[in-house]
Amino acid sequence: MSEHATPTDPGAAPDPAALARVVAGQRAEIDRLRDLAATAAVEERARGAVMALTGGSAEAARETLARRAKAERRTLLEECWITLGALPPPPGADRAPAGPGGTAVPPAPHLSDDHLSEGRLPEGRPPDDAPAGLAEALVRVGSPQELARRLQERLAPGIGADAVVLYARLPSGGLELVGHAGIDDALAARWQQVSPLSGIPALEALRAGEPRWLDGAGRDGAGRDGERWPPDGDPSGRGGSQAWLPVPPGASADACLGVLRHGGAPFTPGERDHLRDVARLCAGWLRTFAGRPQSAGTGAGVADAVQRVFDTLPVAAVLLTPVRASSGRIQDFRVDAATPYAARFTGGDDTDPVGRRLLGSLPETVAGPLRQGCLRALATGEPYESEPFAHRAAPYGAAEPATHSVRAAPLGDGLVLSWIRHDTSDRQEQRLADLQRLGDLGWANWNLVTHEAAWSDQVFAIFGRDPARGPVALTGLPGLALPDEAPALTRAVQALTHEGRPCDVLFRTRTPAGVRHLRIVAEAVTDDDGALVEVHGFVQDLTARRRAELALVESERAMLTQHDVLLAERTLAARLQDALLPLPRQPVRPAGLRVEVAYLPAQTGVQVGGDWFSAIELPDGDALFVVGDVAGHGVDAVATMAQLRFTAKGMVITGSSLTGALARLNTLLLHSSGAHGTASMVLARYSPARRRLEWAQAGHLPPLLLRAGKARYLDRPKGILLGASATPVFAEAECLLEPGDRLLLYTDGLVERPPESIDRGLERLARAATARGAGPANALEPLLAALLPEAELRDDVCVLDIQVPDGQVPEP
């Protein structure tokens, strides 16, 4: 709690000592809060690194760090620094530069998933106690220079360190001095940049991936002479022992820590272990907050700082800068920094994505929502996380797409975009549940040694069994079957458990939902000695399929019965039709005309139609032609056809006009109890004296006249279907025929071809008739062959082909 320096006397001046205590207390509080925030940041980064490497949760990562810290007798903060320092280097950077002989130095061990899951460090890193207080001091370090100063302060009492230097490896293979303490600025300036050919101990330690320990005479621990730093020719050359340690240990080190002493005594084993621990702690800070130095001439900016952090992170993330149009509207986002793992998400290859436009390199299904999410994050300052989507990292050999989501968090004027991979085990479990639900099946396991059983939720649902009751033992499975099917299931289970014979059995069981038809498929598993130890398999509900099969069988039986009935009816109707409508074998010649008749029954279905015709000579010498079509098929249609056919002939023979006959037939069809629906008809009366054709129709297609090589349809007089209206209107039309004319009367089966219109069928008939000309030489059969190919007829066809002989002369 802060103290207040308010005087008790309102008129008195504040006590300076009290004010100083208040200020000091507030500063101490601010420092404490700043240290807490910095410590939390380090712990958060370490947890993130463990989560990225193991794929576990944040809580699991925290427990892993705490467990390792306890096992190695370290503080949690020390463990976090060591974890960050031991992170694997990014792809493409885990091979050290070649040594002087051209041989690459093997990389040092890194923290693997096994190390993290087992709570241990890689081999070669002994769990010695870290320097007390150094981990806490590192959270207040702001630069490599400050790091060198704090190290010199802490190593001076115990190690006797008179100077500390920090060298960072350059991309060229040389070194750059990034921090120093205990040496003058002139010496630091002379050795700011070190050539890769210089051979100083810092370079040798980095190339070997091991520390270099030099005594006062310049000899290492193996008695070999080594070059000191600075070399003997330097005016500031100094004697004494030196230690040069790669940071972090191993050939993938980014920096080298040098500890210099004035005394020439070699470093003791305890001092060496102490310095190794110091290097491991410093590695976490250097890899997390310092990064690799850039080549000369590269300016330091936000993107460079972020890139140095990104280089240490084993995640897929990029730093985005908005690309704006002249109007200020954001068009796209430019990648200004990227982790090595982000390349697979920003273009599909392994090339560095820095400098690319983001949205143009992503699929539209991802880029569209991502753009809106990024704009919203910039506008509101709130992070955005996308819906999960599938991504296949083809260059990395992914067998199937993995599910990811994208998170965009504001950073200054830009965004940090990261890809989050979802746990594959959750997806596999959901897929298995969906498969069982859609297939109406579930898995079951029975352990023959421990007599334990396990069922999936779907098996409990299939049997209608409460999961709280647990699964049924394998030997008790036959008890779930109906009594008449239990013996077969018992034999199958015995053969499975005694002989290891696989089983595939169908049986029925009674459940609260009724009787179910089930199938069980199971096999036995043996141990190395061949003994049966487990049975696993699946249970499938075939009830719906079995019901469908039974319904199909019943339907087939009904269809066969109905087919037999219809076939008998067709036979009867066909015989009746043959008796009532005999088809002439030769052309008939009423009133001097030549008439061919064709009747073709439908080839689909089992019922006969109601088409009919008449071509007779009347008592007065005229000719009567009738073509009609009763709607429908079957015995009723044939009966109606016979009634209309004989009644029409009788009415015309007894003197009725054509329209009068149609009107009476309409009345007959309307009021006869046995009449069948409606009918169409055309009636024509031909007088040979003047070659005059009078005709009327009731909803029928017009006759086709062929004359002099041309075809036309006669204009239809008024008339509607018979049986369609109680007050019909019928009219007659007249046509004078000429020698050589040909007139076709027909039913709709000749021209209809569903789903095309009737007009197209009429056009087809006219073209075919014109192409085959007129006259006796052109019989009806070729015309029918052209119009009715080998395809099955959908309806009956009836045609009268009336031809006027060339020699017929009308009477005066």
Side-chain angles (χ1 to χ4, degrees), residues 148-207:
R149 181 177 59 81
R150 288 190 178 270
L151 288 177
Q152 197 271 334
E153 292 173 353
R154 290 187 171 273
L155 294 177
I159 302 295
D162 297 302
V164 171
V165 294
L166 282 172
Y167 271 111
R169 194 199 302 262
L170 290 170
S172 62
L175 300 179
E176 180 181 29
L177 185 65
V178 295
H180 62 87
I183 63 173
D184 57 55
D185 292 340
L187 176 62
R190 285 196 302 273
W191 292 95
Q192 181 71 29
Q193 300 281 339
V194 177
S195 168
L197 303 177
S198 64
I200 66 171
L203 273 173
E204 293 177 0
L206 287 175
R207 287 168 178 162

Side-chain angles (χ1 to χ4, degrees), residues 300-369:
V302 175
D304 298 329
V306 173
Q307 184 63 62
R308 288 195 293 273
V309 176
F310 276 5
D311 285 343
T312 67
L313 300 180
V315 296
V318 295
L319 174 66
L320 300 180
T321 298
V323 178
R324 300 180 182 272
S326 57
S327 61
R329 184 176 63 87
I330 296 178
Q331 294 178 317
D332 205 334
F333 294 89
R334 183 182 66 249
V335 179
D336 282 349
T339 64
Y341 301 92
R344 69 189 71 173
F345 295 97
T346 54
D349 53 23
D350 291 326
T351 58
D352 188 359
V354 174
R356 288 183 186 170
R357 299 293 179 91
L358 178 71
L359 302 180
S361 60
L362 296 177
E364 182 60 30
T365 55
V366 177

